[in-house]
Amino acid sequence: MNGSFMNQSDCPEVQVPVSVFFTIGVVSLAENILVVVAVIQNRNLHSPMYCFICSLAAFNTIASATKTWENLMIVLADAGHLEKRGPSETKLDDVMDSLLCMSFVGSIFSFLAIATDRYITIFHALRYHNIMTMQRAGAILAVIWTTCGVLAVLMVRFYDFKFIIICFTVFFVISLATICFLYVYMFMLARIHARSIAALPAGGGGKRRRQRSWANNIRGALTLTILFGAFVVCWAPFFLHLVIIMVCPTNPYCECYRSLFQLHMVLLISHALIDPAIYAFRSAELRHTFRKMLLCCSRKLCS
């Protein structure tokens, strides 16, 4: 970088091969479908928390399928089988953008639902099954999916209005702040509660049972914290890109950051690839279900 300013040629756009996007999309699509099927098949996973995790995996599936289909369209367009800016292609592009926005908003709402569920599990354990029933979980998911569909259409339809981008960005920041506050508050209370358990008289199975139950709940909360951290790392660069578009659309330094857009998209779709790996690493029940499903499929293929 020479001088105090740079022109656009100083920061050429970073190009990521379509094959990279396609590979990540296909692998993440297979992983998230596996999570959804595992939760549906295993009755031990039929609980509100795993319903919300299944919803998160379903939104990730939508993101993976959307990016995979988009990359397939790019390949067909480069081969001359599709117009890059024909009317039907433009409409299909809007549909895919709506699905991607729906996936993002749905992921945020799913994390909020999961964080709330963990809070109730840890601090209202005796009343948990009365507060968070499967019927209520189903109603929450219905509201989440309906709201996400409406918001996604509005975001893409009125994308040219700066107000929409501002709302999109503010929603992202407020949601992150809310979830972070809930997790910090949860772990602060957990520390106090752990001390109260440790202060109980030694001996007897009651204290050990409470410690085991508490440890399991905290482990579940920690798993979801890791999931949320991965979400922030993968989506934050994309939102910084949106902020830069609003704040400094012609600044040459901002142009350099925007030249990394395809790398930001790689991070974004990698989120759908990372989540199932975290599920499998942290949940013994899911690992057992995955193993059982894969062994069953291999037997059918071999027979």
Side-chain angles (χ1 to χ4, degrees):
M1 299 190 302
N2 298 319
S4 57
F5 291 95
M6 301 172 297
N7 57 39
Q8 188 172 355
S9 63
D10 291 325
C11 292
E13 184 178 356
V14 176
Q15 296 290 333
V16 177
V18 175
S19 58
V20 174
F21 287 104
F22 193 78
T23 301
I24 295 175
V26 170
V27 175
S28 60
L29 180 62
E31 285 184 347
N32 284 283
I33 289 176
L34 190 64
V35 172
V36 173
V37 173
V39 173
I40 293 173
Q41 281 193 349
N42 190 341
R43 296 185 64 86
N44 293 332
L45 301 178
H46 290 183
S47 65
M49 185 192 74
Y50 279 106
C51 286
F52 296 139
I53 288 178
C54 184
S55 174
L56 178 61
F59 282 119
N60 284 338
T61 301
I62 290 174
S64 300
T66 300
K67 292 305 296 180
T68 302
W69 179 248
E70 183 180 54
N71 291 319
L72 184 60
M73 286 185 62
I74 291 173
V75 171
L76 292 174
D78 290 341
H81 299 295
L82 287 175
E83 295 182 46
K84 291 192 175 182
R85 283 298 168 191
S88 59
E89 285 77 16
T90 301
K91 289 181 181 178
L92 188 56
D93 188 56
D94 288 340
V95 171
M96 289 189 292
D97 287 342
S98 297
L99 289 174
L100 197 61
C101 288
M102 181 179 177
S103 171
F104 161 74
V105 178
S107 296
I108 283 283
F109 280 135
S110 295
F111 278 118
L112 283 169
I114 291 169
T116 304
D117 178 81
R118 285 295 87 193
Y119 178 85
I120 297 172
T121 302
I122 294 173
F123 299 106
H124 301 279
L126 296 178
R127 298 173 52 214
Y128 173 78
H129 294 291
N130 293 327
I131 298 173
M132 189 62 73
T133 62
M134 287 296 289
Q135 289 77 13
R136 286 179 181 170
I140 291 170
L141 289 176
V143 171
I144 287 175
W145 280 81
T146 303
T147 304
C148 291
V150 173
L151 290 178
V153 172
L154 291 176
M155 286 176 185
V156 174
R157 176 66 180 82
F158 300 103
Y159 178 78
D160 291 335
F161 294 88
K162 187 175 288 188
F163 175 74
I164 293 297
I165 302 179
I166 293 173
C167 290
F168 199 35
T169 307
V170 169
F171 169 74
F172 178 68
V173 174
I174 292 177
S175 299
L176 293 190
T178 303
I179 296 173
C180 286
F181 171 79
L182 191 56
Y183 276 120
V184 170
Y185 182 65
M186 189 188 308
F187 282 111
M188 287 176 63
L189 290 180
R191 186 178 179 183
I192 296 171
H193 199 75
R195 288 177 178 175
S196 65
I197 293 177
L200 291 174
K207 180 177 179 178
R208 286 195 296 270
R209 282 194 300 272
R210 292 184 66 179
Q211 286 176 332
R212 281 196 299 269
S213 176
W214 186 256
N216 289 334
N217 287 333
I218 293 299
R219 179 180 172 82
L222 182 60
T223 299
L224 300 174
T225 305
I226 296 171
L227 287 171
F228 178 65
F231 175 82
V232 173
V233 170
C234 292
W235 279 87
F238 171 75
F239 272 87
L240 182 56
H241 182 93
L242 294 182
V243 172
I244 284 176
I245 288 176
M246 292 186 296
V247 175
C248 53
T250 58
N251 186 285
Y253 290 102
C254 295
E255 186 68 27
C256 270
Y257 184 82
R258 289 201 301 274
S259 69
L260 303 175
F261 178 71
Q262 290 201 18
L263 292 179
H264 303 158
M265 292 304 296
V266 170
L267 263 180
L268 188 149
I269 65 173
S270 293
H271 172 246
L273 185 70
I274 295 169
D275 275 2
I278 298 175
Y279 302 148
F281 180 72
R282 302 285 299 181
S283 173
E285 188 67 37
L286 269 176
R287 284 200 305 273
H288 173 73
T289 307
F290 290 156
R291 195 179 300 114
K292 187 176 179 181
M293 290 170 58
L294 293 174
L295 286 174
C296 181
C297 290
S298 63
R299 287 172 184 170
K300 287 181 179 179
L301 290 173
C302 293
S303 61

